[in-house]
Amino acid sequence: MKSLVTKRNLFTKDKVEKAFFTAAPFFMFAFFVFLNSVCPTFADYKSDVKSLVDQVVEIVGFIFRIVGILMTVYAVGTLIQAFQSNNPDAQSRGATTAVVGVILIALPSIVKTLNLTSYLAK
């Protein structure tokens, strides 16, 4: 019975107010620091944005290729085992995984060929 009484008294009005007024200055300070960190600039930002977008797309494309290679290697192994055990469900899953892996490998080349990064950096 005593534990219920202590739990009930855990959130009294005085304690909640004290916690709020203790934490409020910290959150106000963090909010004002955030507001002051936004700094508009009037420089030529389009070339910077385009180079940044190209770098990010290049890095993401590299990651996609690595993941695609790993998925394709895994899918080939799965397909070999599925054909050996004559398991149509595993054959279907392996083929699907292989197709997704090949698409991930080809995706960065498709993005470069279609020049899709130009739409992001307008």
Side-chain angles (χ1 to χ4, degrees):
M1 185 71 179
K2 184 173 180 164
S3 64
L4 291 176
V5 173
T6 57
K7 285 183 181 178
R8 205 174 323 154
N9 292 335
L10 186 62
F11 294 111
T12 60
K13 185 177 179 182
D14 295 334
K15 289 182 181 179
V16 171
E17 285 179 357
K18 184 178 178 184
F20 175 77
F21 288 118
T22 303
F26 169 75
F27 287 114
M28 288 174 42
F29 175 74
F31 179 72
F32 287 123
V33 167
F34 172 74
L35 284 180
N36 289 328
S37 67
V38 177
C39 178
T41 179
F42 300 105
D44 181 26
Y45 65 89
K46 289 193 177 194
S47 62
D48 296 337
V49 170
K50 179 151 177 53
S51 65
L52 180 67
V53 167
D54 288 338
Q55 288 175 354
V56 168
V57 167
E58 186 177 328
I59 292 169
V60 170
F62 179 73
I63 293 170
F64 275 19
R65 281 199 173 145
I66 297 295
V67 170
I69 290 169
L70 293 174
M71 283 181 71
T72 305
V73 168
Y74 173 75
V76 167
T78 303
L79 280 171
I80 291 171
Q81 287 181 348
F83 278 110
Q84 284 179 350
S85 65
N86 197 15
N87 185 354
D89 185 44
Q91 291 172 1
S92 173
R93 281 187 273 131
T96 304
T97 306
V99 168
V100 170
V102 169
I103 289 172
L104 284 175
I105 293 170
L107 194 64
S109 300
I110 293 170
V111 169
K112 278 187 183 177
T113 304
L114 296 177
N115 197 16
L116 295 177
T117 58
S118 65
Y119 296 109
L120 295 174
K122 279 189 172 184

